[in-house]
Amino acid sequence: MDEYNRFVDWEKMDVTVQNQDPKELTCTEFQELKQLARQGYWAKNHSLRAKVYHKLINNIPCRTVTPDANVYRDIVVKIIGKRNSGSLPLPEFVDNSLVPTYCLNAEGIGAVRKIILCIANQFPDISFCPALPSVTALLLHYSKDEAECFEKVCRILACNDPSKRLIDQTFLAFESSCMTFGDLVNKYCQAAHKLMVAVSEDVLEVYSDWQRWLFGELPMVYIARVFDVFLVEGYKVLYRVALALLKFFHKVRAGQPMESDSIQQDIRSFVRDIAKSVSPERLLEKAFAIRLFSRKEIQLLQMANEKALQQKGITVKQKSYCFSMFCVVFLRQNVHLAVHAENFKSEIVSVKEMRDIWSWIPERFALCQPLLLFTTLEHGCSLSRFYSHSEGHEPTLLLIKTTAKEVCGAYLSTDWSERRRGGNKLSFFGTGECFVFRLQPEVERYEWVIIKHPELAMTVSEPENRATQASSTLSSNSVPSDPSDRLSPFLSARHFNLPSKTASMFMAGSSECIIIGGGDGQALYLDADLNHGRTSHCNTFNNQPLCSESFQISVLEVWGFRD
């Protein structure tokens, strides 16, 4: 233990990590390493963890010229001089992040600042990296000296494997990861997301804290276990653990009054004190129980969010418009700001209800304003007019109010002009980002499940004979014989120049009808005159139907998204 003892205050450390059960690590196969990391094989042995970190980080593919320990020894005196290391100012790109002590002694805390300043000297392209202080402090625990820690952090920053994303180093990458996390919460933590929407005016501001939960608030014994797996499996692990933290927060705090005026502060406090309610093993168990998208699917979603930010011109942090860690000119433009009360008028939903819908849509489109494209009150009950006003817009929002005062609708990810690709046949198109929802009499969002549960493709009863062909198309086209050939149902294939077979099927339209189907066994069918509609409800799920099985339409509106 002596060679890794220099910077550690052992009086503050958990005694269980002081070299219990001396072990060696001989395996090199990824799957075995992955299993051992998740099980915490080296978590109880400080020296073994240091050796494993050294091995894993040395195997990271890096740029040809990556600063090493010798570079640190050459530059540290020139950069630091005789200044007191404990009071050294950190570079702007860490965004005022505090240096976690992680049971480091005074020398260790000062060494973290020295290392970060030397990294800033060697990596002038880093513009935003709030996780760096935490990563450096953690790795210093498992380094013989400052130079070795410097080299380890540099190798992580200099990783040049496009499939192995590690630490965000630009504001664009950081903000797009926050949007991606928001999308994942919306998908996998719907109960927690509903709470966030209820108590926060800006849910993305809450979700923009997600990296701080891990690299800042999480106690050392927890972040070390997370980092064990992170070095083996990569960035996706961070999303998993942050989702698990949010799930536990909702479970523990549900129904209790907020401890502060800010949900952000409450979550931070919960994560800091997580040992009171959740063990590290239980946290990781929860994280890996989430059936998350594949790494490739998450990468595509991240690309889509980055593209949306670039189109908005949001690539750097604007100092003059910032508070805390986040940029006022961006974020989600605040859910309340994204739907301006003075400019919004609907005969179906209130401003508050539209804001609720806005909290469900993908983050990259929540940057936009709602734009009314079609309403039966103004344009009449004509399906051809419905198409003519809706085509050319992607995505769109369909709202329906029935004569029985029921209100339901659908978020539709794909341009209605795609219906023409099937010729005169009624064929499904769209992506799994589509969903249907009900606002009256009760609020409910129905997740699209045909791809998750392909057996439901045959259980949804489409109304009458005109839908028979659509049902056949759904069952034959939306469930590929080999699931490995399919990318995420949440992404539009043509947005990424992917083969058409990777597209999902959700919506269909012809001159005779519109069909939107699949949400938790729900399917919506509209007649050509836009006066009548029907729904089908699969009893596989314990949920309420979208609306009456047969209904008359009072008002129908289609909304687009305006920059």
Side-chain angles (χ1 to χ4, degrees):
M1 183 173 66
D2 291 342
E3 60 183 342
Y4 300 108
N5 195 31
R6 176 177 172 183
F7 304 106
V8 181
D9 185 342
W10 283 103
E11 292 183 359
K12 298 178 181 177
M13 284 285 286
D14 182 352
V15 294
T16 62
V17 302
Q18 297 186 29
N19 285 1
Q20 288 188 9
D21 304 323
K23 300 172 184 174
E24 292 296 330
L25 185 70
T26 57
C27 73
T28 57
E29 294 296 325
F30 172 76
Q31 287 300 329
E32 188 176 356
L33 269 175
K34 176 179 171 181
Q35 199 65 28
L36 292 176
R38 292 188 180 190
Q39 292 172 353
Y41 180 83
W42 50 81
K44 300 295 185 182
N45 188 313
H46 190 268
S47 294
L48 179 60
R49 177 179 264 156
K51 293 173 183 176
V52 172
Y53 280 11
H54 182 77
K55 179 179 181 180
L56 293 175
I57 292 173
N58 273 357
N59 287 335
I60 295 175
C62 296
R63 305 170 191 166
T64 304
V65 181
T66 298
D68 59 14
N70 290 327
V71 170
Y72 182 81
R73 297 185 185 101
D74 290 340
I75 66 174
V76 63
V77 174
K78 300 175 187 176
I79 294 173
I80 306 303
K82 297 182 179 181
R83 290 181 292 174
N84 181 358
S85 60
S87 59
L88 289 172
L90 293 178
E92 289 186 4
F93 64 65
V94 304
D95 197 44
N96 297 319
S97 296
L98 299 177
V99 177
T101 58
Y102 287 158
C103 304
L104 293 172
N105 55 29
E107 182 186 4
I109 294 172
V112 172
R113 291 179 174 271
K114 291 166 63 178
I115 293 167
I116 292 174
L117 284 175
C118 290
I119 288 172
N121 174 267
Q122 295 295 301
F123 289 83
D125 52 334
I126 295 180
S127 59
F128 198 80
C129 191
L132 187 59
S134 174
V135 172
T136 305
L138 180 64
L139 288 176
L140 192 60
H141 262 272
Y142 306 102
S143 301
K144 297 176 183 177
D145 54 31
E146 296 171 14
E148 182 179 300
C149 179
F150 170 84
E151 180 173 330
K152 287 176 179 175
V153 178
C154 286
R155 290 192 66 83
I156 290 174
L157 293 171
C159 175
N160 62 359
D161 183 349
S163 66
K164 193 177 181 69
R165 181 180 179 184
L166 293 176
I167 297 179
D168 295 331
Q169 300 173 44
T170 67
F171 187 70
L172 178 63
F174 174 82
E175 288 294 353
S176 63
S177 77
C178 296
M179 293 171 67
T180 302
F181 180 70
D183 287 326
L184 296 176
V185 173
N186 204 355
K187 166 71 175 173
Y188 293 103
C189 305
Q190 292 184 18
H193 180 68
K194 189 174 182 180
L195 173 64
M196 300 302 117
V197 173
V199 301
S200 173
E201 291 187 351
D202 192 340
V203 290
L204 187 58
E205 183 180 345
V206 177
Y207 299 150
S208 291
D209 244 9
W210 80 279
Q211 289 196 28
R212 176 171 176 161
W213 304 340
L214 304 175
F215 298 113
E217 306 295 353
L218 206 58
M220 186 201 160
V221 65
Y222 289 77
I223 186 59
R225 286 296 309 277
V226 173
F227 209 77
D228 292 347
V229 190
F230 166 74
L231 285 178
V232 177
E233 300 186 40
Y235 201 90
K236 182 179 174 181
V237 170
L238 305 182
Y239 283 133
R240 284 187 177 280
V241 176
L243 289 170
L245 287 171
L246 200 59
K247 282 178 175 286
F248 278 122
F249 172 80
H250 178 262
K251 180 180 179 180
V252 173
R253 296 289 178 84
Q256 298 181 14
M258 290 178 59
E259 295 183 353
S260 70
D261 295 333
S262 166
I263 188 69
Q264 282 179 278
Q265 294 300 329
D266 277 14
I267 297 175
R268 291 175 188 176
S269 175
F270 171 79
V271 176
R272 280 195 299 271
D273 298 330
I274 192 171
K276 295 177 180 178
S277 53
V278 182
S279 68
E281 293 74 23
R282 183 73 185 96
L283 177 63
L284 289 178
E285 181 184 339
K286 187 76 167 179
F288 291 109
I290 301 171
R291 301 187 65 181
L292 206 58
F293 300 151
S294 71
R295 186 178 291 106
K296 186 171 185 178
E297 292 166 346
I298 291 177
Q299 184 180 16
L300 290 177
L301 185 56
Q302 183 101 10
M303 286 168 52
N305 286 329
E306 284 193 8
K307 183 178 179 181
L309 290 171
Q310 289 171 326
Q311 289 174 342
K312 291 283 184 180
I314 302 162
T315 58
V316 296
K317 183 174 178 180
Q318 305 295 325
K319 290 184 184 178
S320 58
Y321 295 96
C322 288
F323 65 93
S324 182
M325 290 177 62
F326 312 110
C327 186
V328 176
V329 296
F330 159 51
L331 284 181
R332 194 183 182 130
Q333 293 189 5
N334 191 306
V335 171
H336 285 259
L337 295 178
V339 183
H340 295 297
E342 63 273 17
N343 298 327
F344 178 76
K345 185 175 185 339
S346 168
E347 299 299 326
I348 300 178
V349 297
S350 65
V351 173
K352 182 187 180 304
E353 288 172 324
M354 193 59 138
R355 286 171 178 164
D356 287 341
I357 297 170
W358 233 243
S359 74
W360 297 333
I361 66 177
E363 296 289 351
R364 62 190 184 277
F365 296 117
L367 299 170
C368 303
Q369 300 286 326
L371 173 67
L372 184 61
L373 303 175
F374 173 86
T375 169
T376 51
L377 294 180
E378 179 181 344
H379 302 106
C381 299
S382 166
L383 189 54
S384 62
R385 289 200 196 107
F386 170 96
Y387 288 137
S388 66
H389 284 81
S390 302
E391 288 177 2
H393 295 271
E394 183 180 288
T396 55
L397 192 68
L398 176 69
L399 298 176
I400 298 171
K401 184 175 184 179
T402 72
T403 54
K405 308 298 183 184
E406 298 167 309
V407 175
C408 63
Y411 170 81
L412 304 169
S413 65
T414 307
D415 192 329
W416 277 104
S417 62
E418 290 289 305
R419 77 186 193 284
R420 297 201 189 97
R421 298 181 69 177
N424 294 325
K425 296 180 179 179
L426 182 64
S427 58
F428 275 72
F429 53 98
T431 77
E433 278 188 322
C434 299
F435 60 85
V436 292
F437 57 87
R438 183 185 68 226
L439 295 177
Q440 296 291 344
E442 295 178 358
V443 177
E444 184 73 44
R445 185 186 66 163
Y446 300 94
E447 182 183 354
W448 190 59
V449 296
I450 292 297
I451 280 188
K452 276 181 55 181
H453 303 280
E455 68 276 7
L456 294 183
M458 302 302 295
T459 63
V460 177
S461 304
E462 300 296 356
E464 301 200 6
N465 294 333
R466 282 181 293 183
T468 302
Q469 190 174 10
S471 178
S472 174
T473 304
L474 176 64
S475 60
S476 62
N477 291 350
S478 66
V479 188
S481 57
D482 183 2
S484 65
D485 289 339
R486 185 185 62 238
L487 292 177
S488 172
F490 286 79
L491 302 169
S492 178
R494 59 195 179 79
H495 286 174
F496 302 99
N497 297 317
L498 300 174
S500 60
K501 69 177 180 179
T502 63
S504 307
M505 310 299 169
F506 185 91
M507 46 197 282
S510 69
S511 59
E512 297 182 342
C513 67
I514 287 175
I515 300 175
I516 300 164
D520 279 359
Q522 306 285 346
L524 179 66
Y525 174 92
L526 303 180
D527 289 335
D529 59 9
L530 297 184
N531 279 321
H532 300 87
R534 300 192 261 311
T535 62
S536 66
H537 175 227
C538 177
N539 291 326
T540 304
F541 295 89
N542 295 321
N543 55 39
Q544 297 298 315
L546 189 62
C547 60
S548 301
E549 184 175 349
S550 179
F551 58 86
Q552 286 191 313
I553 298 173
S554 173
V555 187
L556 182 148
E557 295 175 349
V558 178
W559 292 80
F561 294 75
R562 179 184 61 197
D563 291 338

